[in-house]
Amino acid sequence: MPEHAGEALGQGHSTLAERLSAVQAAVEDACRAAGRDPSGVDLIPVTKFHGPELVAALADLGVRRFAESRHPEARDKIESLAEREGLEWHFVGQIQTKKARQIAQYVDAVHSIDRPGLVDALSTIERELPLPVFVQVNMTPDPARGGVQPDELDALVEHVLSTPALELKGLMCVAPLGAEPRASFAELRELSSRIQSTATSARALSMGMSNDFREAIENGATHLRIGAAITGKRPDRT
Ligand SMILES: *Cc1c(COP(=O)(O)O)cnc(C)c1O
């Protein structure tokens, strides 16, 4: 988590409510600058490392959609918030094959589909409606970073499309650290147009975090996953 994430938005000694509204205002500004309607961009606070109290406080401020990236932390948090109705949970972290079905039981969407084995593991989940998913693309040559390599994307997309338990919403990426994020976001957008020749309704682009959401919005992001700029510093873990 980059240290300057929140500072750019004046996080210094701010409250959660101040940080949330600063990010919301910055998202709207970036939409306006890009000539986009802010209603086409979902802001999803990422609450990993933070307790259920922080989620509850954000829910009191009107937030309904949250993202988590680690199992079982996510499961425990979501369970302890079960009495709060109408919250929607997006899983954005890497998923071990053997945990996939369990994770699918407590989330409403998965942004990190990155390999055929994971699709197979999810193919037998039982839900009323298919699970909304995004295919994550790795923007680096490093396989440890998560995501499918661009040259394997079409095959993975086909695999998801032929799995009735899943509904492909679009693509997801994390811009590589230390590089200009615009290049990655532009590339994901191009890959998105390419897959739409077969996956016609998979138009969503999950990209943009605390430090690069403006660039993501410029390049067509529809789902922003923003942690530190909203939640503040990660709490000390003892
Ligand atoms: C933590 C996380 C984010 C949010 O990152 P910030 O820099 O805190 O905004 C977004 N996406 C994924 C996959 C994450 O793990």
Side-chain angles (χ1 to χ4, degrees):
M1 184 167 65
E3 286 300 325
H4 57 286
E7 275 156 37
L9 292 158
Q11 185 176 297
H13 294 281
S14 56
T15 65
L16 183 64
E18 286 166 351
R19 291 191 299 270
L20 175 64
S21 53
V23 171
Q24 286 167 332
V27 167
E28 283 185 24
D29 284 350
C31 286
R32 221 165 286 126
R36 298 188 53 199
D37 181 348
S39 70
V41 179
D42 274 353
L43 170 59
I44 312 179
V46 183
T47 48
K48 64 166 179 250
F49 304 133
H50 294 270
E53 326 74 54
L54 182 131
V55 175
L58 285 168
D60 288 341
L61 293 166
V63 178
R64 286 288 160 266
R65 203 167 278 150
F66 296 91
E68 285 287 330
S69 65
R70 295 143 41 98
H71 175 84
E73 174 191 333
R75 178 198 60 202
D76 296 345
K77 201 177 301 177
I78 292 167
E79 261 172 26
S80 70
L81 287 156
E83 80 284 3
R84 292 250 173 187
E85 280 173 27
L87 302 188
E88 188 180 301
W89 294 96
H90 291 232
F91 200 91
V92 300
Q94 288 187 39
I95 298 179
Q96 287 178 46
T97 308
K98 60 176 194 262
K99 303 287 183 206
R101 289 172 53 84
Q102 214 181 324
I103 291 169
Q105 277 172 9
Y106 63 75
V107 299
D108 302 292
V110 170
H111 291 228
S112 40
I113 299 294
D114 60 359
R115 59 193 189 279
L118 186 53
V119 175
D120 290 337
L122 292 170
S123 66
T124 55
I125 57 174
E126 280 164 31
R127 290 170 56 95
E128 218 169 298
L129 293 172
L131 179 68
V133 298
F134 296 72
V135 167
Q136 180 178 357
V137 182
N138 188 349
M139 297 314 206
T140 78
D142 176 4
R145 299 283 306 189
V148 66
Q149 288 296 329
D151 62 351
E152 292 162 11
L153 173 64
D154 291 338
L156 188 56
V157 162
E158 283 307 316
H159 200 125
V160 174
L161 291 175
S162 61
T163 303
L166 306 179
E167 180 195 1
L168 184 65
K169 301 300 278 187
L171 301 182
M172 181 273 229
C173 80
V174 175
L177 275 179
E180 161 57 52
R182 278 189 187 84
S184 294
F185 296 152
E187 184 184 349
L188 196 71
R189 180 185 222 169
E190 273 182 31
L191 293 170
S192 169
S193 340
R194 196 177 87 197
I195 66 156
Q196 281 174 50
S197 63
T198 49
T200 46
S201 57
R203 289 189 212 99
L205 286 170
S206 170
M207 58 189 196
M209 312 185 357
S210 292
N211 281 326
D212 54 22
F213 65 83
R214 294 174 186 80
E215 293 87 346
I217 289 170
E218 276 173 34
N219 284 285
T222 60
H223 293 68
L224 310 174
R225 311 176 313 269
I226 301 188
I230 294 172
T231 61
K233 260 179 65 185
R234 156 183 180 173
D236 290 332
R237 285 138 57 80
T238 47

